[in-house]
Structure formats: C-alpha cells, structure tokens
Amino acid sequence: VFPNKISTEQQSLMLVKRLLAVAVSCITYLRGIFPESAYGTRYMDDVCVKILREDKNCPGSTQLVKWMLGCYDALQKKYVSLPVLFSYFKFTECYHFKIKYTNNGPLLDFSSKNKRIDSTITCADTKKASILLVRKIYVLMQNLSPLPNDVCLTMKLFYYDEVTPLDYQPPGFKEGECEGMIFEGEPMHLNVGEVPTPFHMLKLKVTTERQCVESVDKSILKHGETNVPLQVLKVDRDDPEEENQDMNV
C-alpha cells in the first residue's frame, strides 16, 4: 500500500486510490454487505485488511468495484471532492470521503475553524495516519448495530464545480437529482480521521443513526455532537465542526 516515498503527485494519487479501496472494503466487509468470497486478504504492515474484488457469483461486489473505478477517473482529473457511500434501509448509514488537492505543498488541519497549519509531510506521517484511519474504521464498524438483511448500497460523487465540466459523468454514474437524503431518526456525525500527503488530503466522516452508536464505548468518542434531530440530511461540503464528534482511539 505504501510507497517508499511520495515525491510526485502521481505517487500521492496512487496512495489515495489504494486508501479509498481499503476503506470501502473494510466498511463493506465488517458491515456484512458482501460474502467472504468477494474479498481477498492484504496487509498494511501488521494490520490485516480485506480487499473487495470482482466476484462473478456476487454481482453487487462487481458493481461497487465499477463505481470505485469511476471514482478513480474523477479523482485523476481532480474533479471529485466528496465520494459518499450510502448503505440504506431508509438511509441507515452514510460514509463521506472528503478529498482535497493542492499544487502548492501540503495542507494540514484544513477543516479547523481557528487556524491552518502548513508544514512538511513525510511518508512516515502519511503511513501512520493511514494505519490509524483503518484501525478506527475497525473499531467503529465493530461497535455499530447490525444492518437489516435487506439493506441496499449506493454511491454518490460530489464535484468541485469550478473545474468540472457540466456534462462530465464518470463511468458507472449518472447525473444526480438532489444533494440530500431523507434520514429517518436522529443522525450522528463522527469524524473518523484524515490522511495527509504532500499533494492530497483524504478525510472520512460517518453519519449513522444515534441509536446505532449508543453501544459504542464512550472512551473512543469525544463530545461535541448536536442534539438537534435532522430529518432531511444535506451532504455538507464545508463540514461544520460543531455538528461532529471526533473518534479517539
């Protein structure tokens, strides 16, 4: 997964693609979306991860792989800002992967309300953040309530409008009808983690029903969530911190 160095934008892009694949695979595997046969086994240092693959006996996994390839197309062109993975039975869970690009050096703490910190990002920093993100995914997925048996899966891509052609649609995608979704119950937003490279920033936020995370050990969550129930959940590209909880492992 990790190159020996990240000195070019192409090396950084390859790493971001791999991390997206690892994260989506971990989420779908641990949430029981696809059967065991749809996954292969890989290692990130000492962390064993399951990687989704095309399986002729599982059309759903093949479809998600095609969606990921379409996401990679938009990522390569620097169009995509927010790939969002939904698992839904009346929209039960939502996984936001926020992506930032920069041609002027690294971006750190880009979501902070008070400051922005610019500093040199090493390959070791990226590797450490990547492994921590995967471990946090494992902790969270193992603490969520089981999904219904008839749960469905879909993916939306949101773009940087100032650079994306109006008629652009990556392979496997069509133009969306709305930016929001009906979320039954009270949503809770969890900031899982972020991975910086010298050319990209990948951040993961999870939205789920509050009652699904009541069993999560409070030691892995920091306080600061909203207490206001939301019925129509808008996908917020600006990611307001006051409505989120941070995971702390």
Side-chain angles (χ1 to χ4, degrees):
V1 174
F2 303 106
N4 293 326
K5 61 179 180 179
I6 308 174
S7 56
T8 68
E9 187 173 359
Q10 190 60 35
Q11 290 173 330
S12 176
L13 177 65
M14 182 59 67
L15 176 62
V16 171
K17 288 180 178 180
R18 290 173 177 173
L19 283 176
L20 273 173
V22 169
V24 170
S25 297
C26 287
I27 289 167
T28 57
Y29 179 78
L30 293 169
R31 298 304 279 142
I33 302 293
F34 303 118
E36 185 81 26
S37 61
Y39 299 87
T41 301
R42 297 289 185 274
Y43 287 88
M44 294 177 61
D45 275 9
D46 60 338
V47 180
C48 177
V49 295
K50 296 291 186 177
I51 302 297
L52 190 68
R53 59 189 179 189
E54 292 186 81
D55 180 359
K56 63 181 181 180
N57 296 319
C58 182
S61 67
T62 299
Q63 181 63 62
L64 182 51
V65 169
K66 291 180 179 178
W67 289 344
M68 293 298 295
L69 293 175
C71 179
Y72 292 166
D73 183 83
L75 185 60
Q76 182 89 34
K77 294 179 171 67
K78 298 184 180 180
Y79 292 164
V80 68
S81 65
L82 193 68
V84 180
L85 183 69
F86 298 102
S87 63
Y88 64 92
F89 174 79
K90 298 182 179 178
F91 285 120
T92 304
E93 294 174 0
C94 180
Y95 300 86
H96 312 249
F97 294 90
K98 189 171 185 179
I99 298 171
K100 292 273 188 173
Y101 314 87
T102 173
N103 294 321
N104 303 311
L107 291 175
L108 283 181
D109 201 20
F110 71 87
S111 62
S112 172
K113 293 185 295 181
N114 301 319
K115 60 183 178 180
R116 170 176 157 179
I117 304 171
D118 290 347
S119 63
T120 301
I121 297 173
T122 66
C123 193
D125 295 329
T126 300
K127 183 176 180 179
K128 180 179 179 180
S130 300
I131 293 176
L132 182 59
L133 177 65
V134 172
R135 286 177 172 164
K136 285 184 174 182
I137 291 174
Y138 268 72
V139 170
L140 179 58
M141 296 302 101
Q142 292 170 353
N143 282 278
L144 293 178
S145 300
L147 290 171
N149 292 329
D150 54 350
V151 71
C152 296
L153 191 72
T154 190
M155 178 180 279
K156 283 189 176 186
L157 299 182
F158 294 83
Y159 305 101
Y160 288 107
D161 294 333
E162 61 272 19
V163 296
T164 306
L166 291 176
D167 60 349
Y168 173 76
Q169 294 297 337
F173 289 85
K174 63 181 180 180
E175 185 174 357
E177 298 178 355
C178 64
E179 293 193 7
M181 64 177 183
I182 302 299
F183 201 100
E184 300 218 355
E186 187 177 354
M188 175 179 284
H189 309 288
L190 302 171
N191 289 321
V192 182
E194 58 187 43
V195 178
T197 83
F199 300 92
H200 299 87
M201 174 73 87
L202 174 66
K203 184 175 183 179
L204 173 59
K205 184 177 78 172
V206 176
T207 302
T208 186
E209 291 184 83
R210 182 178 296 275
Q211 64 181 18
C212 293
V213 293
E214 291 299 330
S215 62
V216 174
D217 187 340
K218 299 304 181 183
S219 66
I220 69 171
L221 297 175
K222 293 181 180 178
H223 295 292
E225 79 279 13
T226 177
N227 289 318
V228 180
L230 303 177
Q231 294 300 321
V232 179
L233 181 65
K234 298 289 287 184
V235 177
D236 196 338
R237 306 185 197 196
D238 295 328
D239 200 17
E241 291 295 322
E242 64 271 18
E243 293 188 358
N244 302 329
Q245 284 197 60
D246 295 320
M247 283 192 64
N248 184 28
V249 178

Short mmCIF file of all heavy atoms in Angstrom, two decimals, residues 14-56:
data_model
loop_
_atom_site.label_atom_id
_atom_site.label_comp_id
_atom_site.label_asym_id
_atom_site.label_seq_id
_atom_site.Cartn_x
_atom_site.Cartn_y
_atom_site.Cartn_z
N MET A 14 -1.87 7.55 -6.37
CA MET A 14 -1.96 6.10 -6.25
C MET A 14 -2.26 5.68 -4.81
O MET A 14 -3.07 4.78 -4.56
CB MET A 14 -0.67 5.45 -6.73
CG MET A 14 -0.68 3.93 -6.69
SD MET A 14 -1.99 3.19 -7.69
CE MET A 14 -1.42 3.65 -9.33
N LEU A 15 -1.61 6.37 -3.86
CA LEU A 15 -1.85 6.05 -2.45
C LEU A 15 -3.30 6.36 -2.06
O LEU A 15 -3.94 5.57 -1.36
CB LEU A 15 -0.88 6.83 -1.57
CG LEU A 15 -1.08 6.67 -0.06
CD1 LEU A 15 -0.88 5.21 0.35
CD2 LEU A 15 -0.15 7.58 0.73
N VAL A 16 -3.82 7.51 -2.50
CA VAL A 16 -5.19 7.88 -2.17
C VAL A 16 -6.17 6.86 -2.75
O VAL A 16 -7.15 6.46 -2.09
CB VAL A 16 -5.51 9.30 -2.68
CG1 VAL A 16 -7.00 9.61 -2.53
CG2 VAL A 16 -4.70 10.33 -1.92
N LYS A 17 -5.93 6.41 -3.98
CA LYS A 17 -6.79 5.39 -4.58
C LYS A 17 -6.77 4.10 -3.74
O LYS A 17 -7.81 3.49 -3.48
CB LYS A 17 -6.32 5.07 -6.00
CG LYS A 17 -6.60 6.17 -7.01
CD LYS A 17 -6.08 5.74 -8.39
CE LYS A 17 -6.37 6.78 -9.46
NZ LYS A 17 -5.86 6.36 -10.78
N ARG A 18 -5.59 3.70 -3.31
CA ARG A 18 -5.47 2.48 -2.51
C ARG A 18 -6.17 2.62 -1.17
O ARG A 18 -6.83 1.70 -0.70
CB ARG A 18 -4.00 2.13 -2.33
CG ARG A 18 -3.32 1.64 -3.60
CD ARG A 18 -1.83 1.46 -3.41
NE ARG A 18 -1.19 0.92 -4.60
CZ ARG A 18 0.13 0.78 -4.76
NH1 ARG A 18 0.94 1.16 -3.77
NH2 ARG A 18 0.63 0.29 -5.86
N LEU A 19 -6.03 3.79 -0.56
CA LEU A 19 -6.68 4.01 0.74
C LEU A 19 -8.20 4.00 0.60
O LEU A 19 -8.90 3.49 1.48
CB LEU A 19 -6.21 5.34 1.34
CG LEU A 19 -4.82 5.34 1.97
CD1 LEU A 19 -4.46 6.74 2.45
CD2 LEU A 19 -4.75 4.35 3.12
N LEU A 20 -8.71 4.58 -0.49
CA LEU A 20 -10.15 4.52 -0.73
C LEU A 20 -10.61 3.07 -0.86
O LEU A 20 -11.64 2.68 -0.30
CB LEU A 20 -10.50 5.30 -2.00
CG LEU A 20 -10.75 6.80 -1.86
CD1 LEU A 20 -10.91 7.44 -3.24
CD2 LEU A 20 -11.97 7.08 -1.01
N ALA A 21 -9.83 2.29 -1.61
CA ALA A 21 -10.17 0.88 -1.79
C ALA A 21 -10.16 0.13 -0.47
O ALA A 21 -11.06 -0.66 -0.16
CB ALA A 21 -9.20 0.23 -2.78
N VAL A 22 -9.14 0.38 0.35
CA VAL A 22 -9.03 -0.27 1.65
C VAL A 22 -10.20 0.12 2.55
O VAL A 22 -10.84 -0.72 3.19
CB VAL A 22 -7.69 0.07 2.32
CG1 VAL A 22 -7.68 -0.38 3.78
CG2 VAL A 22 -6.53 -0.59 1.58
N ALA A 23 -10.49 1.43 2.61
CA ALA A 23 -11.55 1.92 3.50
C ALA A 23 -12.92 1.37 3.10
O ALA A 23 -13.67 0.88 3.94
CB ALA A 23 -11.56 3.45 3.50
N VAL A 24 -13.26 1.46 1.81
CA VAL A 24 -14.55 0.96 1.34
C VAL A 24 -14.65 -0.55 1.55
O VAL A 24 -15.70 -1.07 1.96
CB VAL A 24 -14.77 1.33 -0.14
CG1 VAL A 24 -15.98 0.61 -0.71
CG2 VAL A 24 -14.93 2.84 -0.29
N SER A 25 -13.55 -1.25 1.31
CA SER A 25 -13.54 -2.70 1.51
C SER A 25 -13.76 -3.06 2.97
O SER A 25 -14.55 -3.96 3.30
CB SER A 25 -12.22 -3.29 1.01
OG SER A 25 -12.06 -3.09 -0.38
N CYS A 26 -13.06 -2.36 3.86
CA CYS A 26 -13.20 -2.63 5.30
C CYS A 26 -14.63 -2.37 5.76
O CYS A 26 -15.21 -3.16 6.53
CB CYS A 26 -12.23 -1.75 6.09
SG CYS A 26 -10.50 -2.26 5.99
N ILE A 27 -15.21 -1.28 5.30
CA ILE A 27 -16.57 -0.92 5.71
C ILE A 27 -17.56 -1.98 5.25
O ILE A 27 -18.38 -2.48 6.04
CB ILE A 27 -16.95 0.47 5.14
CG1 ILE A 27 -16.15 1.57 5.87
CG2 ILE A 27 -18.45 0.72 5.29
CD1 ILE A 27 -16.21 2.91 5.18
N THR A 28 -17.50 -2.34 3.98
CA THR A 28 -18.48 -3.31 3.46
C THR A 28 -18.26 -4.70 4.04
O THR A 28 -19.22 -5.45 4.28
CB THR A 28 -18.42 -3.39 1.93
OG1 THR A 28 -17.09 -3.72 1.49
CG2 THR A 28 -18.84 -2.05 1.31
N TYR A 29 -17.00 -5.05 4.31
CA TYR A 29 -16.71 -6.37 4.90
C TYR A 29 -17.22 -6.45 6.33
O TYR A 29 -17.93 -7.40 6.70
CB TYR A 29 -15.21 -6.65 4.86
CG TYR A 29 -14.83 -7.98 5.46
CD1 TYR A 29 -15.01 -9.16 4.75
CD2 TYR A 29 -14.29 -8.07 6.75
CE1 TYR A 29 -14.67 -10.40 5.29
CE2 TYR A 29 -13.95 -9.29 7.30
CZ TYR A 29 -14.13 -10.45 6.57
OH TYR A 29 -13.80 -11.67 7.12
N LEU A 30 -16.88 -5.47 7.13
CA LEU A 30 -17.24 -5.50 8.55
C LEU A 30 -18.73 -5.27 8.77
O LEU A 30 -19.28 -5.66 9.81
CB LEU A 30 -16.43 -4.47 9.32
CG LEU A 30 -14.92 -4.78 9.41
CD1 LEU A 30 -14.16 -3.58 9.96
CD2 LEU A 30 -14.67 -6.00 10.28
N ARG A 31 -19.41 -4.65 7.81
CA ARG A 31 -20.85 -4.45 7.92
C ARG A 31 -21.63 -5.59 7.28
O ARG A 31 -22.85 -5.57 7.24
CB ARG A 31 -21.28 -3.12 7.29
CG ARG A 31 -20.67 -1.89 7.95
CD ARG A 31 -20.96 -1.83 9.43
NE ARG A 31 -22.27 -1.29 9.74
CZ ARG A 31 -23.05 -1.74 10.72
NH1 ARG A 31 -22.66 -2.75 11.48
NH2 ARG A 31 -24.22 -1.17 10.96
N GLY A 32 -20.90 -6.59 6.73
CA GLY A 32 -21.55 -7.78 6.21
C GLY A 32 -22.33 -7.56 4.93
O GLY A 32 -23.34 -8.25 4.68
N ILE A 33 -21.89 -6.61 4.10
CA ILE A 33 -22.62 -6.29 2.87
C ILE A 33 -22.47 -7.42 1.84
O ILE A 33 -23.43 -7.80 1.17
CB ILE A 33 -22.12 -4.97 2.26
CG1 ILE A 33 -22.28 -3.81 3.26
CG2 ILE A 33 -22.86 -4.65 0.96
CD1 ILE A 33 -23.71 -3.45 3.57
N PHE A 34 -21.25 -7.95 1.68
CA PHE A 34 -20.97 -8.98 0.68
C PHE A 34 -20.40 -10.23 1.36
O PHE A 34 -19.85 -10.15 2.46
CB PHE A 34 -19.98 -8.46 -0.36
CG PHE A 34 -20.43 -7.21 -1.06
CD1 PHE A 34 -19.69 -6.03 -0.96
CD2 PHE A 34 -21.58 -7.20 -1.83
CE1 PHE A 34 -20.10 -4.88 -1.60
CE2 PHE A 34 -22.01 -6.05 -2.48
CZ PHE A 34 -21.27 -4.88 -2.36
N PRO A 35 -20.49 -11.38 0.70
CA PRO A 35 -19.97 -12.63 1.28
C PRO A 35 -18.44 -12.65 1.29
O PRO A 35 -17.78 -11.87 0.60
CB PRO A 35 -20.54 -13.71 0.35
CG PRO A 35 -20.75 -13.02 -0.95
CD PRO A 35 -21.17 -11.62 -0.61
N GLU A 36 -17.88 -13.55 2.05
CA GLU A 36 -16.43 -13.69 2.20
C GLU A 36 -15.73 -13.88 0.86
O GLU A 36 -14.61 -13.40 0.65
CB GLU A 36 -16.14 -14.89 3.11
CG GLU A 36 -14.67 -15.09 3.46
CD GLU A 36 -14.20 -14.17 4.58
OE1 GLU A 36 -15.05 -13.77 5.41
OE2 GLU A 36 -13.00 -13.88 4.62
N SER A 37 -16.39 -14.57 -0.07
CA SER A 37 -15.77 -14.86 -1.36
C SER A 37 -15.50 -13.62 -2.19
O SER A 37 -14.73 -13.66 -3.16
CB SER A 37 -16.67 -15.81 -2.16
OG SER A 37 -17.94 -15.22 -2.42
N ALA A 38 -16.13 -12.49 -1.83
CA ALA A 38 -15.94 -11.25 -2.59
C ALA A 38 -14.70 -10.48 -2.16
O ALA A 38 -14.46 -9.38 -2.67
CB ALA A 38 -17.19 -10.37 -2.44
N TYR A 39 -13.92 -11.04 -1.25
CA TYR A 39 -12.76 -10.31 -0.70
C TYR A 39 -11.49 -11.14 -0.78
O TYR A 39 -11.51 -12.37 -0.66
CB TYR A 39 -13.01 -9.94 0.78
CG TYR A 39 -14.18 -9.03 0.99
CD1 TYR A 39 -15.46 -9.56 1.16
CD2 TYR A 39 -14.04 -7.65 1.01
CE1 TYR A 39 -16.56 -8.74 1.34
CE2 TYR A 39 -15.14 -6.82 1.20
CZ TYR A 39 -16.39 -7.37 1.36
OH TYR A 39 -17.47 -6.55 1.55
N GLY A 40 -10.38 -10.44 -0.97
CA GLY A 40 -9.07 -11.03 -0.83
C GLY A 40 -8.43 -10.47 0.42
O GLY A 40 -8.94 -9.53 1.04
N THR A 41 -7.30 -11.04 0.83
CA THR A 41 -6.61 -10.61 2.06
C THR A 41 -5.31 -9.90 1.72
O THR A 41 -4.53 -10.38 0.90
CB THR A 41 -6.30 -11.81 2.96
OG1 THR A 41 -7.54 -12.47 3.29
CG2 THR A 41 -5.63 -11.37 4.25
N ARG A 42 -5.09 -8.75 2.33
CA ARG A 42 -3.85 -7.99 2.17
C ARG A 42 -3.41 -7.50 3.55
O ARG A 42 -4.14 -7.60 4.53
CB ARG A 42 -4.06 -6.79 1.24
CG ARG A 42 -4.44 -7.17 -0.19
CD ARG A 42 -3.26 -7.78 -0.94
NE ARG A 42 -3.60 -8.03 -2.33
CZ ARG A 42 -4.20 -9.11 -2.79
NH1 ARG A 42 -4.58 -10.06 -1.94
NH2 ARG A 42 -4.46 -9.25 -4.08
N TYR A 43 -2.19 -6.95 3.59
CA TYR A 43 -1.66 -6.46 4.87
C TYR A 43 -1.15 -5.03 4.72
O TYR A 43 -0.50 -4.70 3.73
CB TYR A 43 -0.53 -7.36 5.36
CG TYR A 43 -1.01 -8.69 5.88
CD1 TYR A 43 -1.17 -9.78 5.02
CD2 TYR A 43 -1.33 -8.86 7.23
CE1 TYR A 43 -1.63 -10.99 5.48
CE2 TYR A 43 -1.79 -10.08 7.71
CZ TYR A 43 -1.94 -11.14 6.83
OH TYR A 43 -2.39 -12.34 7.29
N MET A 44 -1.48 -4.20 5.70
CA MET A 44 -0.90 -2.87 5.85
C MET A 44 0.00 -2.94 7.07
O MET A 44 -0.46 -2.82 8.20
CB MET A 44 -1.98 -1.81 6.04
CG MET A 44 -2.89 -1.60 4.84
SD MET A 44 -4.21 -0.41 5.17
CE MET A 44 -3.26 1.07 5.54
N ASP A 45 1.28 -3.20 6.85
CA ASP A 45 2.18 -3.53 7.94
C ASP A 45 1.62 -4.73 8.70
O ASP A 45 1.46 -5.79 8.14
CB ASP A 45 2.40 -2.31 8.86
CG ASP A 45 3.50 -1.41 8.32
OD1 ASP A 45 3.95 -1.64 7.18
OD2 ASP A 45 3.91 -0.49 9.03
N ASP A 46 1.27 -4.55 9.98
CA ASP A 46 0.77 -5.68 10.77
C ASP A 46 -0.75 -5.72 10.80
O ASP A 46 -1.33 -6.54 11.51
CB ASP A 46 1.31 -5.58 12.20
CG ASP A 46 0.89 -4.30 12.90
OD1 ASP A 46 0.55 -3.32 12.19
OD2 ASP A 46 0.90 -4.26 14.13
N VAL A 47 -1.41 -4.86 10.02
CA VAL A 47 -2.87 -4.82 10.01
C VAL A 47 -3.38 -5.62 8.82
O VAL A 47 -3.09 -5.31 7.67
CB VAL A 47 -3.38 -3.37 9.92
CG1 VAL A 47 -4.90 -3.35 9.92
CG2 VAL A 47 -2.83 -2.54 11.07
N CYS A 48 -4.16 -6.66 9.11
CA CYS A 48 -4.76 -7.49 8.06
C CYS A 48 -6.05 -6.82 7.58
O CYS A 48 -6.91 -6.48 8.39
CB CYS A 48 -5.05 -8.89 8.60
SG CYS A 48 -5.86 -9.98 7.41
N VAL A 49 -6.17 -6.62 6.27
CA VAL A 49 -7.36 -5.99 5.72
C VAL A 49 -7.94 -6.87 4.61
O VAL A 49 -7.24 -7.61 3.95
CB VAL A 49 -7.06 -4.58 5.17
CG1 VAL A 49 -6.65 -3.65 6.28
CG2 VAL A 49 -5.98 -4.63 4.09
N LYS A 50 -9.26 -6.77 4.45
CA LYS A 50 -9.96 -7.45 3.37
C LYS A 50 -10.19 -6.47 2.23
O LYS A 50 -10.64 -5.34 2.46
CB LYS A 50 -11.30 -8.00 3.86
CG LYS A 50 -11.18 -9.07 4.94
CD LYS A 50 -10.59 -10.36 4.37
CE LYS A 50 -10.60 -11.46 5.41
NZ LYS A 50 -10.11 -12.75 4.86
N ILE A 51 -9.86 -6.89 1.00
CA ILE A 51 -9.98 -6.02 -0.16
C ILE A 51 -11.06 -6.57 -1.10
O ILE A 51 -10.99 -7.72 -1.52
CB ILE A 51 -8.64 -5.89 -0.91
CG1 ILE A 51 -7.56 -5.35 0.02
CG2 ILE A 51 -8.79 -4.98 -2.13
CD1 ILE A 51 -7.82 -3.97 0.55
N LEU A 52 -12.02 -5.72 -1.41
CA LEU A 52 -13.12 -6.11 -2.30
C LEU A 52 -12.58 -6.40 -3.70
O LEU A 52 -11.68 -5.72 -4.19
CB LEU A 52 -14.15 -4.98 -2.36
CG LEU A 52 -15.48 -5.29 -3.05
CD1 LEU A 52 -16.27 -6.30 -2.24
CD2 LEU A 52 -16.28 -4.01 -3.22
N ARG A 53 -13.15 -7.40 -4.35
CA ARG A 53 -12.75 -7.75 -5.70
C ARG A 53 -13.99 -8.17 -6.49
O ARG A 53 -15.04 -8.42 -5.92
CB ARG A 53 -11.74 -8.90 -5.68
CG ARG A 53 -12.26 -10.17 -5.01
CD ARG A 53 -11.15 -11.18 -4.82
NE ARG A 53 -11.64 -12.40 -4.15
CZ ARG A 53 -10.84 -13.37 -3.71
NH1 ARG A 53 -9.53 -13.26 -3.86
NH2 ARG A 53 -11.34 -14.43 -3.11
N GLU A 54 -13.85 -8.19 -7.80
CA GLU A 54 -14.95 -8.63 -8.65
C GLU A 54 -15.17 -10.13 -8.45
O GLU A 54 -14.23 -10.91 -8.51
CB GLU A 54 -14.66 -8.32 -10.10
CG GLU A 54 -14.64 -6.83 -10.41
CD GLU A 54 -14.49 -6.55 -11.89
OE1 GLU A 54 -15.49 -6.62 -12.62
OE2 GLU A 54 -13.36 -6.27 -12.32
N ASP A 55 -16.41 -10.50 -8.19
CA ASP A 55 -16.77 -11.89 -7.96
C ASP A 55 -17.99 -12.21 -8.82
O ASP A 55 -19.05 -11.62 -8.64
CB ASP A 55 -17.09 -12.11 -6.48
CG ASP A 55 -17.46 -13.54 -6.14
OD1 ASP A 55 -17.50 -14.38 -7.07
OD2 ASP A 55 -17.74 -13.83 -4.97
N LYS A 56 -17.82 -13.12 -9.78
CA LYS A 56 -18.91 -13.44 -10.70
C LYS A 56 -20.13 -13.99 -9.99
O LYS A 56 -21.25 -13.92 -10.52
CB LYS A 56 -18.43 -14.43 -11.76
CG LYS A 56 -18.01 -15.79 -11.20
CD LYS A 56 -17.52 -16.71 -12.32
CE LYS A 56 -17.11 -18.09 -11.76
NZ LYS A 56 -16.64 -18.99 -12.85
#
